[in-house]
Amino acid sequence: MPDQQFASDNYAGICPEAMAAMVAANAGHAPAYGADSWTQAAADGFRRLFETTCEVFFVFNGTAANSLALASLCQSYHSVVCADSAHIETDECGAPEFFSNGSKLLTVASPDGKLTPESLRAMAGKRSDIHFPKPKAATITQATETGRVYRPDEIARLSETCRALGLHLHMDGARFANACASLDASPAALTWKAGVDVLCFGGTKNGMAIGEAVVFFDTALAEDFDYRCKQAGQLASKMRYLSAPWVGMLEDDAWLRHARHANACARRLTAAIADVPGAALAAPVEANGVFLNLSAATQERLRARGWHFYGFIGGASRFMFAWDSKPERVDALARDIRACALSAAA
């Protein structure tokens, strides 16, 4: 088996809880297109987890989840305010605009990847004439592309600003589990209790093979969302294979346990290299990612030793940790970062 790499938490396999539920769902026949007991159980599990009534839909990936959710909030002549580093802006190949038939993304410069009430208000109020796409939604990423997390009070202030401006608030939660683990906050506290209208809850980066959940807390916004999923090729005929893994993930808080482990591995690396000159943190470590400012020579030496990692926002080197990251492999990475940094500085 190849050694573990930390370029992305997408590298990890399927966690045992998700796999076991998928195998259990594979026994016998079940109604198609989401009319099965597994899909109902998963949706009910989310309602218990979030302590509220909500509408839940299961799609194949995060691109579809975010794009279809935003399309449900906007008409083609509307716009969505987001940070300039937001995943929907930098890594979705125009999918939000495509699925909304043209809703424009309005980006706000943000060194830490976060929206603030001030930046949101400034962008949404920039123009109000009919020649400019009318702001209708704001989206935040939890955790952000730079690994920061939004705290409940930060989300609440953004929500208050959205309400004052007549905007809906969407959360891209590809690493929502890691944010909950980092803050030791309940899913409810980080979403609807703070004013989030719709959440895209990431399963893939949390230990599933495929699948994201789109959770509407404002259930009126979910009208006809099932039709959007069908039209976009996101209505799985054998839906139980998308929904059943969630049943396994939600049981006994496996989703949270795996996120805590991934976060702990990020902190483990950070602690191990804290005194290494030439390996400074480019961002605080608040979830399962570590962003390091490494010289080009250090990066070259690390890659020569077989390590995979991405050059990321601002030129930092990104290391992501997953549900199955091995502590001993994290330690090996730390030793090589130390050796390569010292060698490059010599």
Side-chain angles (χ1 to χ4, degrees):
M1 179 180 295
D3 287 331
Q4 283 189 345
Q5 294 287 344
F6 304 116
S8 173
D9 35 9
N10 287 326
Y11 281 26
I14 307 172
C15 68
E17 296 86 355
M19 181 66 85
M22 207 171 198
V23 171
N26 196 42
H29 286 208
Y33 300 109
D36 61 279
S37 61
W38 288 97
T39 300
Q40 183 63 54
D44 288 342
F46 275 108
R47 294 178 186 115
R48 289 191 296 272
L49 181 69
F50 285 99
E51 309 166 54
T52 191
T53 301
C54 51
E55 291 292 332
V56 185
F57 301 85
F58 302 100
V59 298
F60 290 100
N61 56 41
T63 298
N66 288 320
S67 301
L68 294 174
L70 289 170
S72 73
L73 306 181
C74 298
Q75 297 292 333
S76 59
Y77 49 84
H78 286 146
S79 56
V80 179
V81 181
C82 64
D84 57 359
S85 61
H87 200 77
I88 64 162
E89 164 65 10
T90 63
D91 291 283
E92 300 290 28
C93 196
E97 295 93 333
F98 176 80
F99 283 109
S100 64
N101 292 314
S103 296
K104 185 177 178 61
L105 299 180
L106 303 178
T107 61
V108 173
S110 174
D112 62 2
K114 285 186 176 183
L115 277 183
T116 65
E118 295 75 23
S119 62
L120 172 57
R121 191 177 296 109
M123 179 56 75
K126 186 176 180 179
R127 286 176 61 178
S128 59
D129 59 275
I130 202 168
H131 304 288
F132 193 73
K134 182 180 181 180
K136 193 63 176 178
T139 179
I140 57 177
T141 309
Q142 182 74 306
T144 73
E145 294 301 297
T146 59
R148 274 105 161 170
V149 297
Y150 286 92
R151 288 154 178 77
D153 61 307
E154 293 177 295
I155 301 169
R157 288 196 296 272
L158 281 167
S159 173
E160 290 169 6
T161 305
C162 284
R163 299 296 176 263
L165 296 170
L167 309 180
H168 300 299
L169 182 57
H170 163 263
M171 179 180 283
D172 172 356
R175 297 183 177 93
F176 179 72
N178 301 96
C180 291
S182 174
L183 296 170
D184 195 23
S186 73
L190 288 179
T191 53
W192 65 270
K193 287 186 176 181
V196 172
D197 293 311
V198 55
L199 163 73
C200 296
F201 194 142
T204 308
K205 292 178 173 62
N206 194 215
M208 289 169 51
I210 55 173
E212 316 290 294
V214 183
V215 184
F216 287 89
F217 302 107
D218 183 341
T219 55
L221 297 173
E223 183 178 1
D224 292 340
F225 192 76
D226 48 350
Y227 286 86
R228 288 189 184 276
C229 291
K230 173 62 179 178
Q231 188 180 62
Q234 292 293 318
L235 178 63
S237 54
K238 297 183 179 181
M239 183 66 78
R240 57 180 158 154
Y241 297 109
L242 281 185
S243 57
W246 281 111
V247 176
M249 294 292 282
L250 296 178
E251 278 184 352
D252 301 322
D253 288 337
W255 67 276
L256 184 59
R257 184 168 60 254
H258 292 323
R260 284 174 173 160
H261 173 77
N263 290 2
C265 287
R267 294 194 301 271
R268 185 184 186 100
L269 177 67
T270 305
I273 62 171
D275 63 337
V276 176
L281 289 175
V285 177
E286 297 181 354
N288 63 319
V290 177
F291 299 79
L292 295 176
N293 288 322
L294 301 174
S295 69
T298 300
Q299 293 179 47
E300 183 179 349
R301 284 168 168 78
L302 276 174
R303 291 193 169 100
R305 291 187 179 213
W307 291 104
H308 300 175
F309 55 93
Y310 291 126
F312 218 61
I313 297 167
S317 298
R318 189 189 79 163
F319 301 89
M320 300 298 302
F321 301 91
W323 69 272
D324 64 345
S325 292
K326 297 176 181 178
E328 60 270 26
R329 187 65 175 161
V330 177
D331 294 343
L333 172 60
R335 287 194 296 272
D336 279 355
I337 290 175
R338 179 180 297 275
C340 291
L342 293 175
S343 174

